[in-house]
Amino acid sequence: EIDAVQERHARVIADYFAAAQHELERWRDRDWLQKYLPERRNVCVALTWACSASNPELVARLVAALAQLDDFGNAQSEVVRYPVLPALLEKAEPPVRARAFLALGWANYLDGNRGVGTELSLRALTDFESLGDAAGTYASLMRLIRLYDGRPGMESRARETWSRLKEVDESQVPLRLRLICHSTVALLFDGARSVERLQELHRIAQ
């Protein structure tokens, strides 16, 4: 009976966050945080149960939710402290799994573990590309560039990844994500051209 209650709670929380990424791309930051940040403790409780139950779908969805909250709220990457095994995430459906791998990869990067972050981000990229998800592919490539940047021997890989990112049709990528790209990784490669593109995107956003 207790397990059934905990599973229902975990599913309610996971469902509540189902639209979080879509809304983050379209809402003001303040409005998004007001809706989702108060649920952080519930996400942690739900993820703890999902990990103990080895439920791949719920673990994947809740990993993405907690990592997103901590990243957006500038909090410590607590999600890396949970016993989330990549082998368990592999059992989740590809769209859910891809977002979990990407979120967990970035959390590891923020926690100082670039090696694990890179491996998980590459897994996310593989899934997003196989799904034909342009926005997910774009986000994965952008984060991989950040993971490669500044690491000895990774300069050519970073440039190759940038070339792949430029091939993605930006009309299929949310404006927020494009703004992040052109204010961060694009400056490493395109310089003045990226500044002009960033100004253009800001005009569109207004």
Side-chain angles (χ1 to χ4, degrees):
E1 179 65 30
I2 293 177
D3 274 351
V5 171
Q6 290 176 318
E7 181 176 0
R8 284 198 296 272
H9 174 260
R11 289 196 179 280
V12 166
I13 296 301
D15 289 345
Y16 185 76
F17 276 81
Q21 182 62 40
H22 177 81
E23 290 170 353
L24 178 60
E25 293 162 356
R26 291 158 179 81
W27 288 17
R28 292 182 299 178
D29 294 358
R30 180 182 61 190
D31 295 337
W32 192 91
L33 283 170
Q34 284 179 346
K35 177 179 178 179
Y36 289 107
L37 194 56
E39 300 301 325
R40 187 180 184 281
R41 174 170 167 71
N42 276 322
V43 175
C44 292
V45 171
L47 180 55
T48 297
W49 177 85
C51 288
S52 69
S54 297
N55 186 308
E57 177 206 353
L58 287 176
V59 168
R61 295 172 67 188
L62 293 165
V63 159
L66 181 56
Q68 188 176 51
L69 280 174
D70 287 348
D71 182 25
F72 199 65
N74 295 315
Q76 186 177 2
S77 299
E78 186 177 349
V79 70
V80 301
R81 311 295 174 224
Y82 286 79
V84 177
L85 299 176
L88 179 62
L89 292 180
E90 287 284 1
K91 297 177 183 178
E93 290 298 311
V96 178
R97 179 178 71 204
R99 297 211 171 276
F101 277 143
L102 185 61
L104 192 57
W106 191 245
N108 272 275
Y109 164 71
L110 295 175
D111 197 52
N113 196 333
R114 287 197 180 199
V116 173
T118 301
E119 179 184 345
L120 293 171
S121 299
L122 285 168
R123 290 191 184 195
L125 176 62
T126 298
D127 277 338
F128 282 128
E129 288 185 324
S130 67
L131 291 165
D133 186 327
T137 298
Y138 190 93
S140 300
L141 292 168
M142 182 175 66
R143 289 189 170 178
L144 280 166
I145 293 169
R146 295 283 299 276
L147 285 156
Y148 293 141
D149 182 46
R151 293 169 65 185
M154 292 291 185
E155 295 86 354
S156 61
R157 188 163 295 181
R159 189 164 293 281
E160 175 190 345
T161 305
W162 170 244
S163 296
R164 291 176 65 184
L165 186 147
K166 289 196 296 182
E167 293 175 359
V168 177
D169 181 2
E170 282 200 338
S171 68
Q172 299 181 47
V173 178
L175 178 59
R176 183 189 186 94
L177 195 54
R178 284 180 279 159
L179 282 167
I180 293 172
C181 177
H182 286 279
S183 62
T184 54
V185 299
L187 295 174
L188 299 172
F189 302 100
D190 272 5
R193 285 179 55 194
S194 183
V195 171
E196 292 174 2
R197 177 61 175 151
L198 184 60
Q199 291 171 339
E200 177 186 347
L201 290 172
H202 274 299
R203 286 194 294 271
I204 294 172
Q206 291 174 352

